[in-house]
Structures are given as C-alpha cells and as structure tokens.
C-alpha cells in the first residue's frame, strides 16, 4: 500500500529525515517509536504534504501513485489521513460545514456523487453518537473551545466519516487522560480492516496497549534503526531510549 | 546667581517640591553670547578644537535649519521657543580640559555625588558594597530579579554643554572599547566619527535634529570593536545647570560585528521658572550579529504644580540595525520634562534583525508627553516588539505615537505591539496614535491597546490591607509597568521604581 | 487649520470650484440651505481636495486620486432607467427607492406603498414645502474640514428626507439604491434620516454602476436616532470597478438609542467612507462593522471618528479586510472619550487578510481619552492566510481554493453575523460568496 524509499527531508537548513525507508501492506498496523527529535512528527507531516518541509531525496509510492507529486488535499482525497498531534482551531467554520465540504471533496475525487443534506446529517448523527459527541459540538467552529480529548475525538470522527485507506496517528495519546485514550482507541480499532493500514507514531508504549500494532519500528536520527514485534515496545518501556542518547522518559 | 537662589527658595516655599534634583550648583561658567548665528557655531567649534570638516558640517546644518519650521503634528502645546533668547554653549570655567578627576571643580563632583553618581573611581568601588546591600533589600522588597551582583558602571558626565569626566577609560581601553566624550572622539578618532555621524539621523531629519547638528556641544561616543562584549555597563549622566541654556548633546554608539553593549542614560536639571530646551540626538549603529541595549531614565525638571518652568525635551533617537541578526533595544522611563517629544526608533535593515521598544511614560501636573517609536522593517524576517505603558495623572496629557511599517521586501516581518494607558483622575488625557502599515503579505502585525483606570476593587483591597491610597496607587502602577521595568538593568530598575512613586505624589485625593 | 491652507492648484480643483460657482448662481439666493451651500463652497475653495498631509486623509490622497472634475450627471432617459433597474440588488421584503445617476426615479420606487410610520420626502419636495427636517442638513458636520463633505454640500441637489415616527416599528427594511449608468459623470446625493424616540427601522443603502466607466459618486447622510430608538443600517458598495466612491455618514445617537451598522465594500477603484458618530445620550449603543473585499488595484478606506460625549455608552467596531492582488485597504478609527463620558466601554478591532503579495493594509486605530473611569481598547492585525489552517483543511481533502474560500468566509463572517435581519444578512452573504466565486474564476 505504502512504500517509502530512502526518504530525505529538511526544514530550513536542517536535515531531519536521513534515508527513511518503510513498506506497509494493506491491513497492517505499524508503530513508530523513538526519542524526542528522532523525526517522527516530521515523517507524518511530510507524508501528509505540509509545505514547510522540503523533500530532498527518495520516493513515496501510495497505492501505486507518486505521493510526493500531490498536494495535501489530493493526498487526503486519495486516502491518506493524518490525525494531528495538535489539531488547530478554526473559528467561524462549523464542524458540520467543514466535514461536509471535506467529505464531498473526497467523494468527488473517488467518482462518487455528493451526499444529500439529509443523508449527510444521518451519517453524522450515527458516527458522532459512536464517539459520544454531542450535536452542539458539531455545530461549533472546528475544535473551537474543545478540550484536548474532544479535539482528538473530533479527529477520529473525521477519520470515520472520510474513510481513508491509510491513517497516520501522530502522538494521538499526547494530552489524553486514560478515559479519553480508551474512547479514542476504541474508535481507531473499530476502523481497522483488511483494506486499511495504519501508522501509529508514539513516544510511549502506553498507546500500544490499546492499539496493538503488527510491527514496531524504532526511529532515531531520521531513520529506522530497529524493527520487531509487539515485544519491542515492552523492552523499550523498561530500558527507555538510553541506547539512543536519551534517558528513559 | 542670587536670582537663581531666590527662585529655588520661592519654589520650595510653595511646597510643591517633589523634585529632589532641583538644586543648582554655584560655579563659574563660560558661555557663548546669547543667540544663534554662524559666529556662535564657529565659537562652539573653535572651543572644541574641531577639525575643519566638522565646522562645515555644522554650518551646513545651520543653513538648512533656517529653512525649516517646527513640527506641529504632536499633541503638545507650548509657547513658541525664542531660539535667539538661549545660550548655546555653557561650560564650567577651568584653565584646560580636566586631566584627572582631581582637576574637576569640587562643586561639580559634589553635584554628581548629590545625584548619586560618584565620579571618583575609588568612590565607585567603595560604593558598590554598600549599594549592594541597599539594592539587595530593594530587590527583595520590590522586584524579583535573580542574580544581581554589584557591577561597575563607567560614567560619562555631561554638565551643561560639556563632558566633565569619563570614568574607567583605561579599563575599557584594555578591551578595545572606546568610551569618551564626542568632542574627544572627534579629535582622537576622526575617521570613526566622520564615517558614522549623521548616518542614522541625517542632518535634515527634522527641525530639532538639524538644530542639534548645528550646535551640539558634547555627548558621548562609544565604539565596541568586533566580537567584544563590553566588560561593564556604560552610562552618561546629563545635567543642565545653567539658566537659559539649551542642552544639545549628541551621542553616537557603534557596535561592530558580533559585539554587545549596554548603555544607560540619566538626566536631571535644577528647578527654574523658565522653560529650558533640551534637543539631543542619539544615533546607534549595530553591525552584523551585534546588540545594543540602550536604557534611559529621563527625569528632567517637569515644571511646578502650576505648570511653570520645566524642560522641553525634544529628542531624536534612532538605531540602525545595519547588519544581519543585529539587535537594538530601547528602554525608557520618562517621568520628567514639561514637554516631551521623543520617538526612539529602529530601522531594521539587516535580515533577521530585531528592534525592541519598552517604555514607561508618566505624566503628572501639567506635563505633556508625546512619545513612542518607529519600527521600520526593511529586511527579511525582521522582528520587533513594542511595549508601552502610559500613566496620566493631574492635568497632564500623555500620548503614545508609533509607527510600524513593513516594506514590500520585508518578507516574514513580525511585530507585536501592546500599548496600555492608565488614567488617574479625570483632568488628564491618555491617547494612542499608532500607524500600522503593511506592504508585504507575509508580514504579521499584531497591535493591541487598552485604556483603563485603577480599579476600585484593587485599591480597596490594598487599602484594606493597610496601604495608604498613594501607596496603593504606586503599588498598582508598579505592577502595571512591571513588564517594562524588568527590561532595565537592575540598579536602574530600582531607581526607576522609586522615581515612579515620587512622580505620582499628589496624584490622588 | 490655517497652517494647512494651500492655494487651489490642480485642474480638477479649479474646475470643481467653477462648477460650484455655476450651480450656486442657478440656486436660490437665500435660505438656510443656500447659506450652507455657500459656506461649503467657500471652505472648498480655501482648502481644496484633501491630501495626505491632512491627517484624516493620510492614506487616501484625494487630490492625487481625483484628477478630473466631471460634469454633474443629467436626468436619465427611459433606456437608462430600464438598464439601471436591472442592476439593483434585491433585498427580500424591502421597500425600495431608486436613484439613477443621482435622480430619484419614481417608476422604480415604492414611494406610494410605504409602511405605516415611515415618511420619505424627496429633497426637491422638501425644499418647496420648507420641511422641518431640512434643518438637520449640515447640523452634524465634523469640526475639521472634510473635502468630500464640502463638495457634497456645495453641490447639494437631490436626496431624501426619511422620518420614522416616534414609537413606530417599521419591520420592512427601507432600501435606497443608487445606480449609475451611461457616460462618466458626477452624482451627489444628500439624505437625512430621523428615527424618532422609541422607533425602530432598518435602512439599506446600495451603490452599483457600470463597469469600465470612471464615474464619481458622492453621497452624504445625517442620521439622528432618538431616545430609545433603533436604527439598523446596511451599506452595500458595489460600484463599477473604475468608479470613485465617496461617502460621509454623520450620526447623532440619543439616550439609550441603538445604531447598528454594517458596510460591505467591494466595488469602485477608489472608495472612502467616513463616519462621524456622536453619542450624545446616556447609555447609547453603537455597533459598526464592515468588510472590505478588494482585488486588482482597488483602494478602500474606512475612517471612523466616534465621540463619546455622555456617560455609560458602549461602542463596538469590527472591520475585516480581505486584500487580493495589489489592493490596498485603509482603516482609521478614532475613539474619543470626553471628560463627562465616564463608564464608557469602547472596543475597536481591524483585521486584515493579505492574499496578494503586493497587497497593502494601513491601520490607524486611535484612542483619545479624557475620562478616567473607562474601558477602551483597540486592536489591529494584518497577515497572510494561516498556513496551519490551510494545511489542516487540505489534509482533510478540501482543495486549496475551496479551503481558502471557506476561511475567508469564516473571517468575514465574524463581522456580518452582527446584521440582525436574517434576510438582509443572507443577501449580504450571497454577495460575498459571489465575490469569492468571481475571484476564483
């Protein structure tokens, strides 16, 4: 599904990704762990198409297409979804308007008809209920006045509505208490399917108790330095990232 | 002299004397004849043994000045200044220039001691310890500054038109730092002066700057060589003593590549019935990676409770961030002067350069303040920050006037401005006049301003805990200006804080 | 002001002075309006068109921008009326009065079917009958010289006197439309609206005209809102892209009265709206909001002078500017608080979104405060579109142009939401959407 080969990227004069390679097959859930500054968030931004980063080498192929040639919107339409570490607030644009515009863009790209207003409302009601989100939250501006947990839940709602084929969860656990973490994880797990792959980026092992990955990679200084199974997370939990120049966190 | 003494006595007798620097010094002085013409300029230039080019420069400025008119756009009102009724040069009489501190008239030394500025280096060193204790106490009481230690401060003392002493010159010389009066610099370092003088504030910049260019008599000169961090704070202390004398000082500070200097400036004058003119020009040049921090505590005589007398403070201060990554920071505490017209500014020419302006302006009685800054963004990714706190009491008017502009090429420029005003009493006025001009889409400008009064709840809370109303006001005002006070070097901050309380005396009740 | 006196220099100024003399010669020799016109003619001859040296016109140098003095537009013929009628924006429910090229056109207007409590008299009829509302003209002029207003007064010839009777609530908005068609000419309109004590009304002014013709439209209006009365005001400026648009609004807001205004500026090559507002009664509420949607080389200036004279009033100003291409937006706003106006609560904000690399925004928000027990503040921001918001939307599949449009709508929406009449608000939003579509195309 996704094939990253020898990816190099920088921001300003600073090279952050230094030959990153990774292949993810349909239905697989991969986790990337690593110390602060390893380049984890850069990877998610580069995959989603943030313009601040300059790709200086390597390739990314997504469902047979050159991902790097597309802008952020095209990537989203073709099935890449990034759950943000810090979702922004957009005052004045209601969640409903936002999601409806996004969904119709995605549907159009996939050759589907736009959803009628009643159908859209029905869909929203159903999806929001699953995540315990009120109608009031949907009417408010995107993430405006939402708590940290509510913002993450809103991201998962968007994920469930847009039905992407590849989800990147960037430090989704940051700022979540245990209850919020459970709700968000359940939301994510319910979206796991043989056609959908995921890349879970996290500093802590905790999240991986809830979203259990098939493969775990350790990232350090802009590339993958180790790959293993679930047990790797537990090992890191006890030893920390000391081996990578950082104390256990 | 008798008349002057009488004046002081009379002012004292009406019991409005809150201005503790209002004494005069009885010394003989040498003055140029009253009035202004080419001969006076030749006289000043000759007194200073200036090179020929300097005289030409002055005469050229004078000719241009004759064609100019006083600016009227500021929100200040004062009777027209009679420029022919002023002395343009006054200097303490002595045979030659002082060779050592012991040659200085003891009366002048006493004056500076009274002002809290010892000029004898041994006194300074002795003073540090006792001052330390005093300040440690003050720090504890007032400001939560960390890590203050007794520091040496080099002083250039300017008395009326001339510099009378510059301390610690030798020690500074070892580091390659030049710190001397500008008259001396003209003789000893003519190339530097010629290269930079008028390069930030052009001769014809404005009416007062042009006048200054023609008649300036003294001031300080600083040059920090490449890569040098100036080993101590530098300061100039200005004192106007003579009657009917204009003070026109000129300061030029050049921080060469990668250097750093912190410079302090203090001003006082005796209480006099008539208004006196102070029209200074300060030019700062910061080269690549250099930083200049310029702090002022301006406490010229503000006039009496009826608005009589006081200094007209018409000052042009400008810094040029000429090189990449350079930084110029202005901090001012303005409590004195009858009329203030002053806009310390930054030209952000070098890419990534930064300008800062932190200001506290307090007006009481009949004072009029029109002050602010200009941040001119020319280079890429230049940043600026403006924090202005105006406090108006009595029958005063206090105006913040500022300009922030981004040139078409100033991509990524950023400014943050915050102007807050506080009114004490309902006979005063507080005004905010910002000009915010963005010609580049990627420039981000944010400006906010508020005007409010001291809340009754805060006042009540303080008074209920035993503070008098005046103490409570001073406390709250100190909180209001805190962001700016923190920018001052420690000893100045303590001094400024006391000054704020004094300036507000009589503002309530 | 004598220091700013300058002799008349430009050809346009000379031509304007001559034209004023000519129309004055044809006007009645005496009477209050005639005196007013003469006085305005005199100040115009003395001061001319304002330049950037006049502080209130610092960013709009009218002398440089108004190079030509155009003849005053004549009465439109039937074809022009038919053509113009198509150009009037429809506001649902509104009663409409239409001016074409500065002349009131009864055939396009609903003068015969006005709702109860609303009286509308043409200036012509008022002059003939000596209507008492005529006294309002010139009664609210600012102390400082305003060149646009002086011209409007000197050329005073057509307009409306509108009265909302005490206690009346007029539900239907009154829509006064100004349309320009035909060859380049100048129009002058002068209106008065008096909302008597306890009355309520909505007034919409719209301005539109032919594209590609450099006509000049100059309007002015005195607005008096009585004790406890409410005036909702909307101004929709969609002049032709080459036009010069000058508007002057003067307001007197009485005790516990409410004035709520929204201005959408999208047309004209150069436009300037000045609003001089005085809060002369205790506890009055003033709300002024506006949106500038400017592109190409358009220049839009909004200048407000709000004077709090009596205590306990509040004022809110919010101006949103969207500047594409090489457009230039100007906002000058001054809040003055007089010594008696204790407990004043004033908030002013100007926000600009610079879309074009060569766009420019000039902000000058001023506070002039003489009372101590007040809460006043102003803010101004200028910057490009927030890249993080754009990325967030694009990461959800929304194309760049659409994401930008949505964010612009949200940005401007914060000002338009203060328009209380829903139908009017919807019409304004539709006009904004049309602007966004036209820009994208």
């Amino acid at each position: 599904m996704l094939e990253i080969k020898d990816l190099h990227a920088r921001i300003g004069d600073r090279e952050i990704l230094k030959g990153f390679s990774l292949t993810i097959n349909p239905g697989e859930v991969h986790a990337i762990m690593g110390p602060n500054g390893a380049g984890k968030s850069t990877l998610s931004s580069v995959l989603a198409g943030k313009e601040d980063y300059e790709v200086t080498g390597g390739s990314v192929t997504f469902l047979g297409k050159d991902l790097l040639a597309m802008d952020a919107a095209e990537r989203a339409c073709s099935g890449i979804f990034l759950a943000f570490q810090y979702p922004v607030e957009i005052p004045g644009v209601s969640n409903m308007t936002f999601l409806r515009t996004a969904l119709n863009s995605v549907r159009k790209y996939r050759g589907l008809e736009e959803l009628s207003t009643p159908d859209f409302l029905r869909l929203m009601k159903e999806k929001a209920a699953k995540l315990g989100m009120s109608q009031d939250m949907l009417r408010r501006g995107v993430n405006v006045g939402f708590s940290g947990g509510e913002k993450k839940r809103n991201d998962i709602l968007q994920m469930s509505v847009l039905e992407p084929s590849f989800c990147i969860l960037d430090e989704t656990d940051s700022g979540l208490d245990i209850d919020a973490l459970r709700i968000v994880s359940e939301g994510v797990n319910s979206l796991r399917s043989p056609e959908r792959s995921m890349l879970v980026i996290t500093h802590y092992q905790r999240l991986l108790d809830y979203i259990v990955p098939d493969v775990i990679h350790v990232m350090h200084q802009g590339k993958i330095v180790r790959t293993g199974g679930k047990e790797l997370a537990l090992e890191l939990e006890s030893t920390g990232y000391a081996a990578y120049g950082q104390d256990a966190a | 002299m008798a008349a002057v003494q009488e004046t002081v006595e009379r002012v004292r007798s009406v019991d409005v004397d809150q201005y503790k620097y209002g004494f005069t010094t009885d010394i003989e002085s040498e003055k140029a004849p009253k009035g202004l013409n080419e001969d006076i300029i030749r006289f000043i230039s000759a007194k200073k043994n200036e090179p020929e080019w300097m005289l030409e420069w002055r005469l050229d400025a004078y000719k241009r000045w004759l064609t100019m008119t006083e600016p009227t756009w500021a929100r200040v009102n004062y009777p027209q200044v009679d420029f022919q009724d002023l002395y343009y040069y006054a200097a303490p009489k002595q045979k030659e220039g002082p060779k050592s501190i012991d040659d200085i008239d003891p009366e002048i030394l006493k004056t500076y001691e009274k002002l809290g500025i010892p000029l004898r280096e041994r006194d300074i060193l002795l003073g540090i310890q006792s001052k330390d204790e005093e300040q440690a106490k003050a720090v504890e009481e007032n400001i939560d500054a960390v890590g203050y230690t007794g520091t040496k401060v080099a002083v250039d003392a300017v008395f009326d038109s001339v510099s009378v002493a510059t301390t610690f010159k030798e020690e500074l010389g070892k580091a390659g730092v030049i710190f001397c009066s500008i008259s001396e610099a003209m003789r000893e370092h003519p190339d530097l002066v010629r290269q930079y003088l008028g390069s930030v504030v052009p001769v014809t910049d404005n009416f007062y700057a042009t006048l200054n260019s023609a008649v300036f008599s003294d001031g300080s000169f600083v040059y920090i060589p490449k890569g040098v961090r100036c080993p101590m704070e530098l300061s100039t202390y200005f004192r106007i003593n003579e009657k009917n004398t204009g003070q026109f000082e000129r300061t030029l500070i050049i921080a060469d590549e990668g250097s750093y200097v912190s410079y302090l400036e203090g001003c006082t004058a005796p209480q006099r019935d008539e208004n006196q003119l102070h029209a200074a020009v300060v030019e700062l040049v910061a080269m690549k990676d250099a930083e200049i921090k310029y702090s002022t505590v301006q406490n010229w005589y503000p006039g009496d409770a009826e608005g009589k007398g006081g200094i007209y403070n018409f000052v042009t201060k400008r810094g040029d961030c000429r090189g990449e990554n350079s930084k110029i920071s202005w901090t001012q505490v303005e409590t004195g002067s009858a009329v203030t017209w002053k806009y310390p500014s930054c030209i952000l020419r070098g890419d990534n350069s930064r300008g800062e302006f932190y200001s506290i302006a307090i007006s009481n009685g009949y004072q009029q303040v029109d002050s602010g800054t200009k941040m001119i963004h020319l280079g890429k990714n230049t940043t600026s920050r403006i924090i202005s706190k105006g406090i108006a009491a009595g029958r005063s008017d206090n105006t913040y006037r500022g300009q922030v502009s981004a040139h078409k090429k100033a991509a990524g420029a950023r400014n943050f401005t915050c102007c807050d005003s506080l009114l004490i009493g309902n006979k005063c006025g507080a005004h905010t006049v910002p000009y915010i001009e963005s010609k580049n889409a990627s420039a981000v400008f944010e400006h906010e301003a508020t005007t409010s009064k001291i809340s009754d709840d805060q006042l009540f809370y303080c008074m209920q805990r035993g503070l008098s109303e005046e103490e409570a006001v001073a406390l709250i005002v100190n909180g209001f200006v805190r962001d700016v006070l923190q920018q001052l070097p420690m000893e100045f901050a303590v001094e400024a804080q006391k000054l704020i309380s004094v300036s507000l005396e009589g503002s309530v009740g | 002001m004598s220091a700013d006196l300058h002799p008349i220099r430009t050809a346009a100024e000379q031509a304007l002075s001559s034209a004023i003399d000519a129309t004055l010669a044809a006007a009645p020799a005496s009477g209050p309006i005639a005196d007013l016109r003469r006085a305005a003619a005199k100040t115009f001859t003395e001061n001319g068109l304002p330049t950037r040296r006049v502080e209130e016109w610092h960013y709009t140098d009218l002398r440089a921008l108004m190079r030509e003095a155009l003849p005053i537009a004549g009465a439109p013929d039937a074809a022009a009326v038919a053509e113009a009628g198509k150009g009037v924006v429809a506001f649902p429910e509104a009663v409409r009065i239409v001016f074409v090229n500065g002349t009131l056109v009864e055939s396009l207007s609903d003068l015969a079917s006005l709702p109860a409590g609303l009286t509308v008299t043409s200036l012509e009829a008022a002059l003939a009958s000596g209507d008492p509302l005529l006294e309002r003209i010139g009664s609210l002029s600012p102390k400082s010289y305003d060149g646009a207003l002086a011209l409007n007064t000197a050329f005073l010839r057509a307009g409306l006197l509108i009265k909302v009777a005490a206690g009346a609530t007029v539900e239907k908005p009154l829509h006064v439309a100004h349309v320009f068609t035909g060859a380049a000419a100048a129009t002058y309109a002068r209106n008065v609206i008096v909302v008597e004590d306890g009355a309520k009304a909505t007034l919409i002014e719209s301005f539109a005209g032919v594209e590609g013709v450099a006509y000049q439209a100059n309007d002015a209006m005195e607005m008096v809102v009585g004790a406890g009365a409410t005036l909702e005001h909307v101004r929709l400026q969609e002049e032709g892209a080459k036009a010069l648009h000058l508007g002057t609004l003067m307001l007197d807001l009485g005790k516990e009265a409410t004035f709520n205004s929204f201005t959408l500026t999208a047309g004209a090559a150069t436009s300037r709206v000045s609003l001089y507002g005085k809060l002369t009664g205790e506890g009055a509420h003033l709300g002024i909001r506006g949106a500038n949607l400017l592109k190409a080389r358009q220049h839009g200036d909004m200048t407000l002078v709000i004077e709090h004279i009596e205590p306990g009033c509040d004022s809110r100003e919010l101006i949103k500017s969207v500047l594409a291409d090489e457009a230039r937006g100007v906002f000058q706003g001054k809040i003055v608080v007089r010594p008696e106006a204790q407990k004043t609560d004033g908030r002013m904000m100007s926000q600009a979104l610079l879309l074009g690399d060569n766009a420019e925004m000039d902000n000058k928000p001023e506070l002039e405060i003489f009372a101590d027990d007040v809460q006043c503040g102003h803010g101004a921001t200028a910057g490009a579109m927030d890249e993080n918001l754009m990325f967030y939307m694009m990461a959800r599949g929304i194309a760049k142009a659409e994401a930008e449009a949505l964010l612009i709508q949200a940005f401007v929406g914060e000002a338009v939401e203060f328009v209380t009449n829903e139908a009017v608000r919807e019409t304004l939003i539709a006009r904004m959407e049309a602007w966004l579509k036209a820009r994208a195309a």
Side-chain angles (χ1 to χ4, degrees), chain C residues 73-432:
Chain C
D77 57 21
V81 167
E83 173 69 25
K86 288 184 276 177
V88 180
V89 175
F91 282 91
E93 300 284 302
V95 284
R96 197 170 78 165
I97 293 169
V98 179
F99 285 83
V100 177
N101 296 359
T103 301
L104 176 62
V105 178
E106 302 211 9
S107 63
L108 293 174
S109 306
D110 303 327
L111 278 168
S113 53
L114 295 174
L118 181 65
T119 322
V120 178
T121 315
S122 75
L123 190 61
E124 209 177 359
L127 284 168
S129 68
D131 193 307
L133 285 192
L134 285 172
E135 284 173 22
R136 301 291 185 174
I137 295 180
S139 66
L140 302 175
S141 305
K143 277 193 213 92
S144 56
Y145 171 73
D146 184 311
L149 179 62
L151 276 180
N152 183 285
T153 309
F155 282 116
L156 196 128
R157 58 188 280 273
L160 296 175
L161 304 184
I162 303 161
K163 188 172 90 174
V164 186
T169 296
V170 180
E171 295 287 355
K172 287 186 174 178
L174 173 64
H175 175 195
V176 180
H178 300 266
V179 187
F180 188 88
T181 181
T187 65
Y188 293 92
R190 183 65 167 258
N191 302 318
V192 170
I193 181 166
V194 176
V195 185
E196 294 186 338
D197 294 358
K200 263 188 190 167
T202 299
L203 172 67
I204 300 163
E205 300 180 276
S206 72
F207 301 84
V210 281
E211 297 294 331
V213 177
Y215 63 94
Q216 298 170 349
N218 181 330
D219 75 291
M221 175 161 64
E222 274 89 2
M223 302 180 284
V224 180
V225 186
T230 298
L231 177 60
E232 300 280 337
H233 173 246
V234 167
R235 193 174 167 98
L236 173 61
Q237 193 270 89
E238 296 178 309
E239 304 271 21
K242 286 199 165 173
L244 169 71
H245 175 89
L246 300 172
T248 310
L249 299 168
M250 293 154 283
L251 168 73
D252 180 323
L253 199 55
K255 192 178 178 189
E256 284 162 25
T258 301
F259 176 73
N260 202 7
S261 171
F262 180 84
T263 299
L264 174 61
T265 299
T270 299
S271 78
R272 152 83 174 210
V273 177
S274 315
L275 194 155
Y276 300 97
K278 286 190 175 109
L279 291 88
T280 58
E282 266 190 53
H285 310 284
L286 175 81
I288 296 169
R289 278 96 188 179
N292 295 312
L293 302 178
L294 303 173
K295 58 187 178 185
R297 304 197 61 171
Q298 282 182 295
H299 175 113
D301 177 340
M302 183 149 199
T303 294
L304 311 175
V305 181
I306 307 300
E307 259 180 288
H308 284 262
I309 294 168
E310 289 295 319
C313 299
D314 53 67
S315 63
R316 294 284 179 275
E317 294 84 29
L318 176 62
I319 307 298
K320 299 271 189 172
S321 300
V322 177
L323 306 165
D325 309 324
E326 294 166 62
R328 183 180 185 196
V330 176
F331 172 73
Q332 302 184 100
K334 188 194 245 181
I335 301 179
V336 182
V337 179
R338 299 266 167 241
E340 294 72 31
Q342 297 290 0
K343 306 273 179 209
T344 288
D345 181 354
R347 290 289 136 84
M348 180 157 68
M349 175 57 102
S350 163
Q351 294 175 318
L353 199 53
L354 278 69
L355 301 178
D357 287 340
N358 292 310
E360 175 176 350
M361 181 73 201
D362 300 307
N363 272 313
K364 196 176 89 186
E366 285 182 70
L367 293 170
E368 195 175 300
I369 295 175
F370 296 95
D372 61 340
D373 190 4
V374 300
Q375 288 289 341
C376 284
H378 66 221
T381 62
M385 189 68 89
D386 187 330
E387 290 299 328
N388 286 324
L389 299 189
M390 286 291 286
F391 175 64
Y392 186 87
M393 298 186 94
M394 287 173 73
R396 294 294 174 262
I398 301 172
K400 198 167 188 168
E402 198 171 356
E404 194 178 87
L406 265 177
L407 288 173
I408 293 171
Q409 271 175 9
F411 175 76
V412 175
E414 287 172 348
V416 79
E417 72 180 29
F418 288 97
V419 175
T420 48
N421 183 310
E422 202 178 329
V424 175
R425 187 172 64 239
E426 290 304 321
T427 307
L428 289 170
I429 290 171
R431 301 310 299 165
M432 291 180 191

Side-chain angles (χ1 to χ4, degrees), chain A residues 77-93:
Chain A
C77 289
S78 60
I80 300 257
F81 184 96
L82 169 62
F84 290 84
Q85 184 176 2
Y86 303 110
V88 295
E89 298 186 8
I90 315 179
V93 177

